[in-house]
Amino acid sequence: TDRFDIQTRITVGNAGMVYRAIDRQTGQPVAVKLLSGANLPAPFDAASLRADVPELLRIGGPHVLTLIAAMDDEDGMVLAYPWAEGTPGPLVPAARPLGPGEARQLAAQFVTALECAERHNCPHGDIRPSHIVVGASEGTPWLWLLDWGLSIHRATQPPEFLPFTAPERLAGVQPTLAADFFSVGASLYFLLTGRAPAAGADPATLATF
């Protein structure tokens, strides 16, 4: 886009591609998500998401990566977030093992992040390791939650959504703060052990745990 100077592609996700870029307006590094490809495993409904952008732009906090901008590109819808320097959640158990004290700090930061749901009446809806980055601030572990409020704009959720999701969400209930707390506990379990608290390829299998 005209606003962002793309530097490198970071990953291909289940709804598009993620790039590291520089915001030409501020000079700061950002993560740019290009949501494209209806044939991908879990695409977003661009029209629904576009209508929700004004609310998503308001959601922020010290442990939440706030949406900076949303725009349409010839290749699809583009979302931009501040760049979080740290270890992606799925890599934390192997690359950055957590001690008990660090785990307590991250648990408290999770709860601080969830205050956004209360303030804005907008749950996250999809808390799992791939939506977490763990870094550091002045020697203290620091957690960021990514992609706040996006899951409601998917018709189907990606497979990695299942093991970290509250039973009522698996049954089709819309996101709630209570369900977010369940996902926080499941994600903390993974960050500490390297394993999901449950396993299964479908909601029915997960319900047996």
Side-chain angles (χ1 to χ4, degrees), residues 80-169:
Y81 295 87
W83 180 261
E85 193 65 48
T87 304
L91 304 181
V92 166
R96 197 189 188 289
L98 301 172
E102 292 180 314
R104 286 192 292 270
Q105 288 175 313
L106 294 187
Q109 293 172 16
F110 263 127
V111 174
T112 298
L114 290 187
E115 290 177 359
C116 289
E118 292 186 301
R119 287 199 306 269
H120 299 283
N121 193 28
C122 180
H124 185 288
D126 188 12
I127 296 172
R128 51 186 160 95
S130 58
H131 288 161
I132 296 166
V133 173
V134 177
S137 177
E138 298 181 354
T140 299
W142 202 265
L143 176 143
W144 291 276
L145 280 179
L146 290 63
D147 290 359
W148 195 285
L150 299 190
S151 69
I152 196 172
H153 302 290
R154 277 182 159 133
T156 59
Q157 303 298 335
E160 60 266 30
F161 168 89
L162 297 176
F164 302 96
T165 303
E168 66 270 24
R169 288 279 285 131

Side-chain angles (χ1 to χ4, degrees), residues 6-182:
I6 302 296
Q7 295 184 315
T8 185
R9 190 172 72 182
I10 301 300
T11 187
V12 178
N14 47 48
M17 291 173 281
V18 182
Y19 299 87
R20 191 183 194 278
I22 297 296
D23 186 340
R24 291 190 175 100
Q25 292 185 7
T26 65
Q28 296 299 309
V30 294
V32 172
K33 299 176 182 291
L34 173 62
L35 309 180
S36 63
N39 60 334
L40 290 171
F44 288 100
D45 180 332
S48 170
L49 178 55
R50 193 176 294 111
D52 206 25
V53 163
E55 179 63 25
L56 296 178
L57 288 168
R58 297 174 56 234
I59 297 172
H63 301 288
V64 176
L65 290 184
T66 303
L67 181 66
I68 297 172
M71 60 199 71
D72 290 310
D73 182 77
E74 62 182 14
D75 293 318
M77 190 173 182
V78 174
L79 304 178
Y81 295 87
W83 180 261
E85 193 65 48
T87 304
L91 304 181
V92 166
R96 197 189 188 289
L98 301 172
E102 292 180 314
R104 286 192 292 270
Q105 288 175 313
L106 294 187
Q109 293 172 16
F110 263 127
V111 174
T112 298
L114 290 187
E115 290 177 359
C116 289
E118 292 186 301
R119 287 199 306 269
H120 299 283
N121 193 28
C122 180
H124 185 288
D126 188 12
I127 296 172
R128 51 186 160 95
S130 58
H131 288 161
I132 296 166
V133 173
V134 177
S137 177
E138 298 181 354
T140 299
W142 202 265
L143 176 143
W144 291 276
L145 280 179
L146 290 63
D147 290 359
W148 195 285
L150 299 190
S151 69
I152 196 172
H153 302 290
R154 277 182 159 133
T156 59
Q157 303 298 335
E160 60 266 30
F161 168 89
L162 297 176
F164 302 96
T165 303
E168 66 270 24
R169 288 279 285 131
L170 295 175
V173 173
Q174 292 298 302
T176 64
L177 178 59
D180 277 353
F181 270 106
F182 180 99

